[in-house]
């Protein structure tokens, strides 16, 4: 495996070098970088031309300019990258850092959400093949996949941003809205849960009535402007997740999995009260990251210690419970600050930019500001990527379900959940690893259309501006990041194959 990795890495360096030369030549020959100044009537035109020639080294042959750039890239191995300056004399290093941080915030969240939801939907539709749920999900995923991004972005701006901002000033529902919402949610729920005709009717009626009663009740409690989970709400939801995850993974009768999950839920419920002052007065991103790691690591070892022969499964369920409990605690504190955030920003969902200029809120209010700015572009990218992940997962699961070892597992009397998640799901993830790796690497390059529509100054904007201005420095910085990411994630996908299936050795 090591030999394969080294061989792949060496070949990738050669590909990067050849591609960089080709891209550099194409960019510098795509136009005249001095065109705007040659047509200018400014009195200091000659001085401006002289400065731009100096900034872009236009008095040197192209191969020498490229060699200077390559030497600057070589300094990255010493953590001293020198990517030159753009045509205005601004260091490309600083431009790249700002663009990469902006794009990573957008892309990472969208990719993770699309990957998780896509895999879950794909597994569910494969298990329920040719059902109403399967047909409905297939229709919706292809609909989302075929939507033009710019058109979907405009629709989200109109209804999810402008419409919501108008509604949140005085949240209310008309009787027609309650009836229509109840009918739609009831229909979707009966499709999702399936069952006999009688069960579908009961599910539909119960869900429709619940929605029609819950929405005005939450309005009366002012939940939409002042939401609260509270200590009890976080604890209840954490325990519900622990029971649900145990039931899905092993069944509630398996005490070796159930006990660590419940202990983790209890621990998360207690810690949210004990650490309340930390979350109010001392919170920062490093504390959240450290807390998230501990919320996974500690329950993992609890599950390993108490799981016996089911140690791996118990550790996984306990770790997931700990992570969800920690996440619910964070959500609760965001809810607690929502009313103050609305007071500072009455129209919370913005349609342009990655954050509100000169926003002066506390940590939680700043997170809410950046989160609401992320909402629309993240949702657009998620909807587009969701279709690919769900369809590939579904087809992969269906293919794996036809294998002999799956039939053997069922003939041995194993529970269906064990057959699906322990035997079929793991092997079905192998092709998904390739798709996810290339998708994430591609999106790191910047969702150019999405960033343009929502006014994000990310990698796509950096690339487009460099091309428009016939400026190779920003374009080559973009290439360096995206090309390296593509190679790195392709290599990680190969390694992930061996983790998923130890029989795979290249």
């Amino acid at each position: 495996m090591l030999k394969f990795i080294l061989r792949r890495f060496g070949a990738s360096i050669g590909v990067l070098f050849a591609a960089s030369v080709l891209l550099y030549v194409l960019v510098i020959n795509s136009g005249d970088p001095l065109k705007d100044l040659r047509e200018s009537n400014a009195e200091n035109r000659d001085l401006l031309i002289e400065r731009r020639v100096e900034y872009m080294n236009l008095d040197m042959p192209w191969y020498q300019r490229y060699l200077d750039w390559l030497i600057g890239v070589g300094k990255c191995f010493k953590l001293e990258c020198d990517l030159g300056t753009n045509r205005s004399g601004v260091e490309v290093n600083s431009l790249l850092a700002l663009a990469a941080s902006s794009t990573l915030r957008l892309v990472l969240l969208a990719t993770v959400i699309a990957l998780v939801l896509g895999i879950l939907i794909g597994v569910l539709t494969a298990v329920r093949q040719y059902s109403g749920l399967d047909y409905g999900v297939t229709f919706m995923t292809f609909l989302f996949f075929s939507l033009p991004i710019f058109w979907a972005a405009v629709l989200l701006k109109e209804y999810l941003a402008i419409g919501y901002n108008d509604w949140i000033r005085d949240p209310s529902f008309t009787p027609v809205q309650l009836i229509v919402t109840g009918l739609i949610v009831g229909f979707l729920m009966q499709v999702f849960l399936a069952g006999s005709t009688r069960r579908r009717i009961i599910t539909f009626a119960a869900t429709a009535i619940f929605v029609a009663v819950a929405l005005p009740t939450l309005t009366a409690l002012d939940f939409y402007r002042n939401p609260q989970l509270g200590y009890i709400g976080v604890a209840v939801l954490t325990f519900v997740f622990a029971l649900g995850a145990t039931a899905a993974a092993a069944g509630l009768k398996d005490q070796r999995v159930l006990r660590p999950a419940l202990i983790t839920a209890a621990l998360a419920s207690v810690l949210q009260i004990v650490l309340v002052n930390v979350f109010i007065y001392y919170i920062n991103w490093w504390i959240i990251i450290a807390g998230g790691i501990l919320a996974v690591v500690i329950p993992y070892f609890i599950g390993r210690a108490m799981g016996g022969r089911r140690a791996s499964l118990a550790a996984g369920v306990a770790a997931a419970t700990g992570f969800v409990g920690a996440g619910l605690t964070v959500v609760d504190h965001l809810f607690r600050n929502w009313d103050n955030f609305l007071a500072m920003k009455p129209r919370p969902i913005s349609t342009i930019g990655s954050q509100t200029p000169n926003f002066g809120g506390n940590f939680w209010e700043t997170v809410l500001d950046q989160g609401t700015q992320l909402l629309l572009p993240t949702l657009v990218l998620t909807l587009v990527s969701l279709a690919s992940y769900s369809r590939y997962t579904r087809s992969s699961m269906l293919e794996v379900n036809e294998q002999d070892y799956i039939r053997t597992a069922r003939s041995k009397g194993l529970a269906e959940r064990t057959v699906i998640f322990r035997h079929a799901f793991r092997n079905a993830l192998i092709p998904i690893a390739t798709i996810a790796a290339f998708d994430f690497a591609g999106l790191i390059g910047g969702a150019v259309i999405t960033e343009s529509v929502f006014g994000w100054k990310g990698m796509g904007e950096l690339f487009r501006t460099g091309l428009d201005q016939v400026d190779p420095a920003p374009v080559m910085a973009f290439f360096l990041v995206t090309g390296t990411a593509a190679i790195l994630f392709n290599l990680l996908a190969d390694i992930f194959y061996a983790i998923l299936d130890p029989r795979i050795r290249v």
Side-chain angles (χ1 to χ4, degrees), residues 287-345:
I287 291 178
I288 290 181
I289 293 173
I293 294 173
L294 292 176
V296 172
V297 172
I298 294 176
Y300 177 85
F301 284 109
I302 292 175
R304 297 290 299 184
M306 300 181 63
R309 289 185 295 117
R310 308 299 295 275
S312 297
L313 187 59
V317 172
T321 302
F323 182 79
V324 169
L328 288 172
T329 302
V330 171
V331 170
D332 179 51
H333 284 277
L334 289 173
F335 279 2
R336 293 169 187 261
N337 288 271
W338 178 250
D339 56 339
N340 294 331
F341 173 67
L342 286 180
M344 301 177 66
K345 190 178 177 183

Side-chain angles (χ1 to χ4, degrees), residues 153-167:
V154 171
L155 290 180
L156 289 178
K157 280 187 175 185
E158 177 65 27
Y159 295 106
L160 197 58
I162 298 174
Y164 176 81
N165 288 337
D166 293 338
W167 177 81

Side-chain angles (χ1 to χ4, degrees), residues 192-206:
F192 179 78
L193 295 180
S196 63
T197 303
R198 181 173 178 272
R199 179 179 174 181
R200 287 176 179 267
I201 294 174
I202 294 174
T203 301
F204 171 79

Side-chain angles (χ1 to χ4, degrees), residues 70-82 93:
L70 194 61
I71 292 173
V73 171
K75 295 179 181 179
C76 292
F77 292 103
K78 299 188 297 182
L79 302 179
E80 299 176 357
C81 289
D82 180 12
N93 284 3

